[in-house]
Amino acid sequence: MKLFRKNSTSIGGDAIAEKIAQKIIDRQRILANYLNRKTKNISGKLWMAILIIFCTAFGCYCTFLLIRALG
């Protein structure tokens, strides 16, 4: 009498997980290609300005939250 039998469904579980992962990767690639097409005409200077504005805004917000938490 075997108390601990191996479950044969674990092999199928790996195949299902692999299919799900592949679908997620495909969707990410489709989204990345779409975003690249939409932003291909933006210059490097504009990207730098957007990055600076983004970092400044969230830096100020984090500082605000820190001061509010301490005060």
Side-chain angles (χ1 to χ4, degrees):
M1 177 168 80
K2 291 187 177 183
L3 293 176
F4 302 105
R5 295 184 185 178
K6 286 197 171 190
N7 200 358
S8 63
T9 60
S10 65
I11 296 172
D14 289 342
I16 293 171
E18 191 172 318
K19 286 182 181 180
I20 291 171
Q22 187 60 41
K23 285 187 184 274
I24 291 171
I25 291 171
D26 290 341
R27 298 286 170 120
Q28 285 177 341
R29 186 170 292 122
I30 290 169
L31 180 62
N33 289 337
Y34 170 76
L35 292 174
N36 282 331
R37 279 194 314 271
K38 289 292 186 180
T39 60
K40 70 180 177 182
N41 295 328
I42 297 178
S43 69
K45 288 182 181 181
L46 183 57
W47 275 122
M48 188 59 70
I50 291 170
L51 178 65
I52 290 170
I53 291 169
F54 179 81
C55 290
T56 302
F58 280 97
C60 289
Y61 181 65
C62 287
T63 304
F64 167 75
L65 289 177
L66 185 63
I67 290 170
R68 191 170 177 203
L70 295 176

